[in-house]
Amino acid sequence: MNIMEIRYKRLRDAMAEKGLDAVYVIAPENYLYMSHFDNPDGYMLITLDKSWLFADFRYFEAAKLEAFSCCTVCEPGKPKLSEIVNEYNLKTIGYEDRALTCYELTSLKEQLNTCEFVPTGNMFSQIRAAKTPDEIEAVTKAQRIAEGAFHHLLSMIHYDMTETDVVAELEYFMKKNGSEKPSFDTIAVSGTQSSRPHGVPRPVKLEKGFLTMDYGAMIEGYHSDMTRTICIGKADAEMKKVYNTVLEAQLAALEFVEAGKVNSDVDKVARDIINAAGYEGCFGHGLGHGVGLLIHEAPNLNARATDLVLHTGELVTVEPGVYLEGKYGCRIEDMVYLSENGKINLTDCPKELIEI
């Protein structure tokens, strides 16, 4: 089967399980997944044998050229959803309760008042969790661009740079080398600011101590995600202990993670090492998350995921950290693909402590 056939089979199998005649798709990531066309303002109606893609004038010409061949490309209201419902005798429609607003759902029910509406819950996130080779290829291309940005930064970083300068250099390099846009708002935080896992870069000169950079590139709508921590100046003994503890925890989790493992058990491997080193309570977030058309998607690796098991085809980050409030923090992150032939670390970037 080709990409289109795989995606539609997954969706229609899930629809059949839920007893759905159709699904109304509005989340941009699911619209892109089911159409192969990126349109943040479009919507789709997909039945068990047909698919309508609605795109307004701004996107209409591109949609006709780029969307999957199975999609009938239409302008909004041409035809009306009610006309499709009546013609194909649709009774039960799934809606994305995690994306559709209350107002939009009310409007939809008024238009299609003969239909029953059923929330799809995590149906799409489960479908998208298992990555196909083309998706992994896109993520890998994005990751190589991000790695190039890291090496570029190391070649030119200096003490007079600001945190926002670092962000600008990383993002400019990625854009110049093929990234559609940053995966998310780039994090580059130094010194005392590095104790904040999602700290906001400041227009101030880099502080001595750790500089944590969490960022990614994007190719064909697919994100990459990487964190590296370097040291501005020389690291003292305690900083080296923190860094080596995080690195040991990450390497252990990378060794342990594989399809069939309980998600929370992977988190525990890293967390136990950090706690044993004397940093209990200093690793406050989960070990990792899925990556794809969203920067954070299924599956999650955290202590609460005790009833979840990793599956072949999933892509997860492994990113332990230690954060000492008001002092500094350190995180190291790679992406791992759980392929049919075993796990593959998609990240190829130095992890030894680099001192600038």
Side-chain angles (χ1 to χ4, degrees), residues 62 95 158 228 287 308 310 327 330:
Y95 70 94
H158 52 82
R228 287 295 184 266
L287 178 67
L308 298 176
L310 291 168
K327 198 170 185 179
C330 169

Side-chain angles (χ1 to χ4, degrees), residues 326-344:
K327 198 170 185 179
Y328 46 67
C330 169
R331 180 167 68 257
I332 305 171
E333 176 185 22
D334 291 358
M335 294 184 297
V336 181
Y337 173 48
L338 307 179
S339 80
E340 293 181 355
N341 300 315
K343 60 194 169 194
I344 302 171

